[in-house]
Amino acid sequence: MSAAPEQAVVGRLSFLDRYLTAWILAAMAVGLGLGRLVPGIGDALAEVTVTGVSLPIALGLLVMMYPVLAKVRYDRLDTITRDRRLLLLSLLLNWIVGPALMFALAWLFLPDLPEYRTGLIIVGLARCIAMVIIWNDLACGDREAAAVLVALNSVFQVIAFSALGWFYLSVLPGWLGLDQAGLDVSVREIARSVLIFLGVPLVAGYLTRRLGERAKGRAWYEANLIPRIGPFALYGLLFTIVVLFALQGDAITSQPLDVVRIALPLLVYFAIMWAGSMAVGRAVGLDHPRATTLAFTAAGNNFELAIAVAIATFGATSGQALAGVVGPLIEVPVLIGLVHVALYARRFFPVPSLPTDESPAHV
């Protein structure tokens, strides 16, 4: 009998990829330690911002996303966009189910903490456009489908974020007789965030593949260039995590009980969204790569936008901002754990494996 699918994939991973969970936990610990032990480091890192996000975090996100988007085979995107099941399910899960679920969990777990509750609702409204690409790639998801769904989320983020914020923070609580809150964020700010954090690496990745294949051919591009630039995705990820947790290290470590209160609904949210999306994908006949992509893009959130909106609207030291920061504190280890679950789940799908060149061996 052949090796288990997840064991076969792990065997092809580089040293950096194989122990990614350990590196991520270490990066979180280093960031928290720096934020706690080095006075003023948070203020220094936050002094220069891009669309409300610390410049070091912005640079880390760009470095993280570029190699994965350079791997995308853009000539396959037309086949992805013809899969109406995938596109419609993604829109349903991201823009109806996800925000509604986070709203319900925030009120269920935090009825007495309005600042944290509002912060969680904002996290639920900010759908994934960045880090989810890494998790999808590691879990052998469909790379091209991820690019399409992330782009789709970006368009809807510009269109729907402000309106959904008004609905879930003001209109719906009013209908239900609950406390109301406001959200002051412009469509221009959201569009600028999407343009920077998705548009820049997307254009760079597309041009890299287009020019690289034109100059040397696809075989050379896949065998030589991708392995060279691939590791920078994980370097950018680890750097981003260190900076992110250094920014709020003192707040997180000085309020452990509050962090636990915020973490509980987030854990339930990620579990329900990921498992539910994977099950729905399997039920409608998606293969494992596309079901995996559906699950990760539905469960992930655009934490950089959520944090930026919370800080711009309520202040850097607000409970809303702390809830935004706790989001990736929980999301990062949970989703890296779900990468392993996704690899295990391959055995339950009709197509048990991907071709070798689709493996995440050089993420």
Side-chain angles (χ1 to χ4, degrees):
M1 185 174 179
S2 61
E6 68 274 14
Q7 293 174 332
V9 171
V10 170
R12 296 197 299 269
L13 295 178
S14 67
F15 177 77
L16 179 63
D17 293 341
R18 187 173 302 176
Y19 298 101
L20 179 61
T21 303
W23 308 141
I24 287 175
L25 293 175
M28 293 169 63
V30 169
L32 290 172
L34 287 173
R36 184 71 175 178
L37 300 175
V38 181
I41 189 171
D43 293 336
L45 291 172
E47 189 170 344
V48 181
T49 63
V50 177
T51 68
V53 177
S54 166
L55 179 60
I57 290 181
L59 293 175
L61 290 169
L62 294 176
V63 172
M64 176 185 73
M65 293 180 66
Y66 161 67
V68 180
L69 291 170
K71 290 181 180 182
V72 171
R73 293 179 176 177
Y74 292 92
D75 54 0
R76 286 191 58 217
L77 295 186
D78 61 332
T79 64
I80 306 298
T81 56
R82 289 199 295 267
D83 190 341
R84 294 184 179 180
R85 297 170 305 169
L86 182 64
L87 299 182
L88 291 175
L89 279 175
S90 179
L91 289 176
L92 174 67
L93 290 167
N94 273 288
W95 296 102
I96 297 179
V97 176
L101 176 61
M102 188 69 88
F103 174 86
L105 292 173
W107 274 98
L108 179 64
F109 282 87
L110 303 170
D112 57 328
L113 296 171
E115 290 190 0
Y116 298 153
R117 184 177 64 235
T118 298
L120 280 185
I121 292 172
I122 293 172
V123 170
L125 298 176
R127 312 312 299 170
C128 67
I129 67 166
M131 198 175 287
V132 71
I133 293 177
I134 295 287
W135 311 136
N136 177 75
D137 219 42
L138 288 169
C140 291
D142 188 313
R143 192 174 291 147
E144 286 72 32
V148 170
L149 296 186
V150 164
L152 188 65
N153 273 346
S154 300
V155 172
F156 271 80
Q157 200 145 231
V158 173
I159 298 171
F161 185 91
S162 296
L164 287 175
W166 169 72
F167 177 76
Y168 280 106
L169 293 176
S170 181
V171 176
L172 185 56
W175 289 350
L176 299 175
L178 304 172
D179 294 337
Q180 297 171 285
L183 185 64
D184 181 20
V185 57
S186 71
V187 172
R188 180 180 296 180
E189 290 173 344
I190 299 169
R192 185 171 55 186
S193 174
V194 170
L195 178 65
I196 292 173
F197 295 120
L198 178 63
V200 171
L202 181 62
V203 170
Y206 173 79
L207 290 177
T208 300
R209 178 170 281 277
R210 187 70 181 268
L211 297 177
E213 289 187 353
R214 181 180 297 176
K216 296 285 189 175
R218 173 163 290 187
W220 174 88
Y221 184 88
E222 300 281 356
N224 293 277
L225 184 60
I226 288 299
R228 292 180 184 176
I229 65 175
F232 284 93
L234 297 185
Y235 301 153
L237 171 64
L238 297 175
F239 174 78
T240 301
I241 291 171
V242 170
V243 176
L244 178 66
F245 290 108
L247 276 167
Q248 293 284 343
D250 184 64
I252 291 172
T253 55
S254 63
Q255 303 177 64
L257 294 180
D258 287 353
V259 170
V260 171
R261 289 285 306 272
I262 298 168
L264 289 176
L266 284 168
L267 286 170
V268 176
Y269 172 84
F270 292 131
I272 292 176
M273 287 299 296
W274 190 90
S277 301
M278 181 69 88
V280 168
R282 175 69 176 84
V284 301
L286 296 180
D287 60 14
H288 176 268
R290 292 193 180 183
T292 297
T293 298
L294 180 68
F296 278 100
T297 52
N301 293 94
N302 185 354
F303 68 83
E304 61 270 21
L305 176 61
I307 293 171
V309 169
I311 290 175
T313 305
F314 303 103
T317 60
S318 65
Q320 291 88 343
L322 178 60
V325 172
V326 174
L329 174 69
I330 305 304
E331 179 176 334
V332 168
V334 168
L335 292 191
I336 191 61
L338 289 173
V339 166
H340 298 284
V341 177
L343 295 174
Y344 178 82
R346 295 175 72 176
R347 65 186 66 193
F348 302 109
F349 282 77
V351 179
S353 62
L354 291 171
T356 301
D357 65 354
E358 292 294 324
S359 74
H362 298 291
V363 174

